[in-house]
């Protein structure tokens, strides 16, 4: 009986290690089920600090017909200030 328990634990450990080496196949199966197909909650990049944020949680600022998404009001303000410095017509 102790020999069977040892073999079972050894096979479990080997399976776990092979899974970790091959790219976390345990987590890969669940990842496909985490978000329904056609979900509009995509990640967008903040043009100021270059972080990624969920589109639904991002602060959107429309400038020159283009919508920019920011992680927060501080990045949006810094981006607007930088754009105003670049554009001499807005002065």
């Amino acid at each position: 009986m102790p020999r069977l328990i040892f073999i079972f634990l050894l096979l479990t450990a080997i399976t776990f290690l092979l899974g970790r080496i091959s790219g976390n196949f345990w987590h890969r199966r669940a990842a496909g089920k985490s978000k329904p197909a056609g979900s509009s909650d995509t990640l967008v990049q903040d043009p100021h600090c270059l972080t990624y944020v969920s589109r639904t949680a991002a602060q959107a600022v429309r400038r020159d017909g283009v919508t920019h998404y920011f992680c927060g009001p501080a990045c949006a303000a810094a981006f607007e200030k930088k754009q105003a410095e670049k554009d001499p017509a807005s002065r």
Side-chain angles (χ1 to χ4, degrees):
M1 187 69 175
R3 179 179 269 177
L4 285 174
I5 294 172
F6 174 76
I7 291 173
F8 175 76
L9 291 175
L10 182 64
L11 288 175
T12 303
I14 290 172
T15 303
F16 174 77
L17 290 175
L18 287 175
R20 298 292 286 181
I21 291 170
S22 69
N24 290 331
F25 74 94
W26 298 110
H27 298 290
R28 199 175 327 147
R29 290 183 190 168
K33 298 177 183 177
S34 64
K35 195 169 22 170
S39 177
S40 64
D41 194 23
T42 57
L43 292 179
V44 291
Q45 189 175 24
D46 183 324
H48 179 68
C49 65
L50 304 178
T51 59
Y52 288 90
V53 63
S54 167
R55 185 180 298 227
T56 57
Q59 180 174 352
V61 173
R62 193 151 176 88
R63 181 177 175 89
D64 299 328
V66 178
T67 304
H68 301 280
Y69 297 95
F70 299 94
C71 61
C75 282
F79 179 79
E80 286 290 331
K81 182 179 177 184
K82 187 176 179 182
Q83 292 301 315
E85 290 172 358
K86 284 183 180 180
D87 187 15
S90 66
R91 290 183 188 174

